[in-house]
Amino acid sequence: MRWTASDIPPRHGRSAVVTGTGGLGFEHALALARAGGDVIIAGRNPGSGAAAVARIVETVPDATIRFEKLDLASLSSVAEFAERLRTQCDSLDLLINNAGVMTPPRRLETEDGFELQLGANYLGHFALTARLMPLLRKGRDARVVSVSSVAARAGVIEFDDLNATKRYSPMRFYGQSKLACLMFALELQRRSEAAGWGVASIAAHPGVSRTNLLHNAPGRWSGTGLARSVLWFLFQPAWQGALPILFAATAPSARGGAYYGPDGMGEIRGFPAEATIPPQALDAETSARLWAVSETLADVSFGADPRVPPMAEGR
């Protein structure tokens, strides 16, 4: 049986935060709103956010949805967003870490001085999850879904040059950021299980989908941008690319610590199925190191590693 958005169980009384107002983020928010969820769609552009909310309400007149400003390339914006939610909400049931940038042709930096793809795709979501964890731990069957990419297969965590200050390569550092997202999802599940947080962490990827991601960063007239425009028929529609993420977010059978993607050849297109985890993402030692570095860079803490005895941590 092919799983689609019509299989999402009713979401009435369940809250969700989705990062990203266009492309996949829009499709996630639309599907959750259709299922009756209470949805916050978060992004850095209020105009795009208002337009997304209006489109969803036009399709789902009784939708419970609103926009909140969140710039994942700014740790102060992440902190302000999380603080607003803590004053507005008692709990949170779902966080979809979706928004991102892809392969800007030259090295760009976030407000805090991080390479843009590392900062916006990974560190911003890492910080967001840490700051929302108190709400998630009070949620009902709470889940965190981190969106990775087929590009993670070639990714390497370059601890000696995380910020691409020595040599910048657009796809190389995009792959690093998406591998980091996958490793974060797996490590978060391990820590949640060990500490009894009651939050399921699941990763997913959309295959190769027809969104504006390639137009927005590399540019419409770049090689990849032209491929997106001219070879559009090779890219599956955004609604279909959103399905593995929505499956991870809502399906009763989705498992914490699992990775989902399209079921077609090469996981490029198709319907939700379990995806192959790249071997480097299963390196627990590297994942723990990345977690520790990320807490320092993002200036957040999830608390002590529950798997490590206190005396051992202090050595």
Side-chain angles (χ1 to χ4, degrees), residues 245-261:
I245 294 92
L246 289 167
F247 179 89
T250 67
S253 60
R255 298 178 293 104
Y259 185 35
Y260 298 98

Side-chain angles (χ1 to χ4, degrees), residues 23 54 60 63 66-67 100 103 120 206-207 217 242 246 289 297 303 314:
V60 188
R66 73 180 193 271
F67 168 79
T103 61
L246 289 167
R289 182 183 177 189
L297 294 177

Side-chain angles (χ1 to χ4, degrees), residues 12-311:
H12 303 283
R14 296 197 176 227
S15 57
V17 169
V18 178
T19 67
T21 59
L24 297 175
F26 174 84
E27 297 294 338
H28 302 150
L30 174 61
L32 293 171
R34 274 182 171 146
D38 183 350
V39 183
I40 295 172
I41 188 166
R44 61 186 177 85
N45 188 319
S48 298
V53 169
R55 286 176 60 200
I56 290 172
V57 170
E58 184 178 352
T59 303
V60 188
D62 60 346
T64 305
I65 185 166
R66 73 180 193 271
F67 168 79
E68 286 281 349
K69 186 173 181 182
L70 169 65
D71 184 354
L72 289 158
S74 165
L75 292 177
S76 63
S77 176
V78 172
E80 290 165 4
F81 171 84
E83 182 58 33
R84 288 198 306 276
L85 256 61
R86 284 196 294 267
T87 64
Q88 298 168 1
C89 310
D90 295 324
S91 63
L92 178 63
D93 302 314
L94 173 64
L95 171 62
I96 300 183
N97 289 324
N98 163 79
V101 295
M102 183 178 182
T103 61
R106 61 186 180 85
R107 184 183 181 276
L108 300 174
E109 290 189 349
T110 69
E111 176 182 284
D112 305 284
F114 303 122
E115 188 272 321
L116 182 61
Q117 297 177 103
L118 177 75
N121 296 354
Y122 170 62
L123 282 175
H125 283 123
F126 183 92
L128 179 65
T129 306
R131 293 189 180 278
L132 293 181
M133 188 54 69
L135 293 178
L136 287 160
R137 290 181 63 180
K138 296 177 183 177
R140 181 163 40 134
D141 299 322
R143 298 184 186 186
V144 176
V145 178
S146 297
V147 178
S148 185
S149 166
V150 292
R153 297 171 185 168
V156 177
I157 305 300
E158 304 192 30
F159 287 109
D160 63 342
D161 193 24
L162 276 175
N163 273 307
T165 56
K166 297 177 182 178
R167 182 170 64 89
Y168 176 69
S169 166
M171 184 53 76
R172 175 179 159 198
F173 283 93
Y174 178 70
Q176 175 184 249
S177 74
K178 286 301 183 177
L179 173 62
C181 291
L182 176 54
M183 295 176 77
F184 166 58
L186 301 179
E187 180 69 7
L188 178 58
Q189 178 65 21
R190 288 190 284 264
R191 293 185 182 231
S192 180
E193 288 178 353
W197 291 343
V199 177
S201 176
I202 308 174
H205 76 82
V208 179
S209 300
R210 200 156 58 238
T211 71
N212 287 329
L213 194 62
L214 288 171
H215 286 163
N216 291 342
R220 186 174 294 271
W221 304 111
S222 66
T224 50
L226 285 170
R228 158 68 178 84
S229 298
V230 177
L231 302 176
W232 59 268
F233 51 88
L234 298 179
F235 295 71
Q236 64 180 353
W239 67 263
Q240 191 168 1
L243 292 181
I245 294 92
L246 289 167
F247 179 89
T250 67
S253 60
R255 298 178 293 104
Y259 185 35
Y260 298 98
D263 63 357
M265 186 175 63
E267 300 178 12
I268 290 176
R269 59 190 303 134
F271 291 83
E274 199 147 341
T276 301
I277 300 176
Q280 64 270 36
L282 296 171
D283 186 332
E285 183 177 341
T286 299
S287 295
R289 182 183 177 189
L290 176 63
W291 184 286
V293 169
S294 301
E295 285 193 324
T296 299
L297 294 177
D299 193 25
V300 295
S301 175
F302 286 80
D305 187 340
R307 301 164 300 183
V308 180
M311 289 185 62

